[in-house]
Amino acid sequence: EDGAYPRINGALLQSQQFDGMIVSAVGRVVGPNTLQSSDGTNITLDTDNIAEALVVDPNMCVEIIGSAQDATTLMVRLRLVNVLSLAL
């Protein structure tokens, strides 16, 4: 979906002030349905609306666009891959 969206982290998602809104979250996919957001908080990703599986790679920073569902869950609408490869 085209447009500009609030960029949130895990703490902002937990505040629930963005519930029902389309938001952007940056972080690392650390599990099949888990994004570790920029503040280190884990966000559960509901991936039922996307055809492809998320690539679990903690060395890759991604931006996820989706709907804030509740204090811990983001329903994924679009995945922007490889914002930054992290050198460890």
Side-chain angles (χ1 to χ4, degrees), residues 5-29:
Y5 307 106
R7 182 168 284 155
I8 64 165
N9 58 24
L12 287 171
L13 182 64
Q14 289 174 350
S15 75
Q16 295 190 279
Q17 68 185 29
F18 296 97
D19 280 5
M21 294 176 60
I22 298 175
V23 296
S24 166
V26 173
R28 299 179 298 157
V29 179

Side-chain angles (χ1 to χ4, degrees), residues 27-76:
R28 299 179 298 157
V29 179
V30 294
N33 292 314
T34 305
L35 178 78
Q36 183 179 52
S37 69
S38 58
D39 67 350
T41 304
N42 285 343
I43 295 174
T44 301
L45 300 173
D46 178 345
T47 58
D48 290 343
N49 291 330
I50 60 172
E52 65 212 51
L54 294 175
V55 175
V56 178
D57 183 351
N59 295 316
M60 187 170 60
C61 184
V62 298
E63 180 175 24
I64 303 285
I65 296 173
S67 299
Q69 297 300 297
D70 56 37
T72 61
T73 307
L74 191 63
M75 180 183 292
V76 179

